Amino acid sequence: MNEEIARRLREAAQAHQPDRARMLARIQRGVTGPAVRHRTPSRFRSLSRAALAGIASAGILATGGLAVAGIAVTSSSSDTVTAPPSPSPSGSPSESRPGSAPGTPSSRPVPVVPPPVTTRPTPSTTVQAQNGPLWSAGSVDPHSIVYWTQENLVLRTTQPLTALTVELGFAQTGGLQDTGDWQTLPSDDFTVTVQQSGGMLVYRWVLKPGRTVPAGEHEFAGQFNHATGVRSAAGDVYRVEAQGAGGSASVGGGFTPAR
């Protein structure tokens, strides 16, 4: 009798097709809900407790293995892991900042006004002359424009001067008109004249009697309007005559064009 029952149980176990969905639901109910006791069918009540315990153990092991396998397959095929986006490198923003648009130039012409000139020519860009205590250099001021020009003379003396005459002569190339002059020495120490003479516009500084020019560097400048265009300074000249404790001395030369 026992062998017949055992044979039928083995055949039933081999022919059994487990319902995975139902087993998963049963396991879930067993985890989340209270334990449920199933009544043993009446046809198995006559089996001995030992036989029933063995059969139950084999069934639980088989069912548990299938359930665990089903859970593993379901988890690997249904779960999706999304990796977080990689952070941008430090100091490298992900979007560019718009720059400022270039300004639109005004359509109105800007009037050109001759600026007050305080620049000093350097010996490397001027025509130089030296005699005794005197050293001189003439140049066209770089602020000159197409209808207005300033020309500068730098005069150095290594000893005081008791007499001094400075002349700047600008060739009449067309439309030359005096617009001003200046010097670094006190204006009250000189008599200044400007006149047209021999086809030239001449600026002259004469040291007044009893006045003295100290040793050092001094500047003289003449300013004038002229015909519109780039003016050549090729015909412009200067001349300096001085008297000091060591005797008289003179220098002269031309003006280097502006660069």
Side-chain angles (χ1 to χ4, degrees), residues 1-89:
M1 182 63 179
N2 291 338
E3 293 179 2
E4 180 66 19
I5 294 174
R7 183 181 62 79
R8 292 182 180 181
L9 289 175
R10 282 196 299 271
E11 292 177 356
Q14 292 174 0
H16 176 69
Q17 297 295 331
D19 189 339
R20 186 176 63 184
R22 183 174 298 176
M23 286 188 292
L24 290 177
R26 185 180 304 167
I27 293 173
Q28 184 176 6
R29 288 196 302 271
V31 173
T32 59
V36 179
R37 294 186 178 182
H38 299 278
R39 299 182 62 182
T40 305
S42 57
R43 64 176 180 174
F44 295 115
R45 289 180 183 178
S46 59
L47 295 177
S48 64
R49 292 183 179 180
L52 290 176
I55 295 171
S57 298
I60 291 173
L61 290 176
T63 304
L66 293 172
V68 171
I71 293 172
V73 173
T74 304
S75 299
S76 62
S77 61
S78 60
D79 294 341
T80 302
V81 179
T82 303
S86 301
S88 299

Side-chain angles (χ1 to χ4, degrees), residues 206-228:
V206 179
L207 185 65
K208 294 179 180 180
R211 308 295 174 92
T212 301
V213 174
E217 180 177 293
H218 313 289
E219 295 183 47
F220 301 84
Q223 302 169 335
F224 53 91
N225 286 336
H226 54 78
T228 302

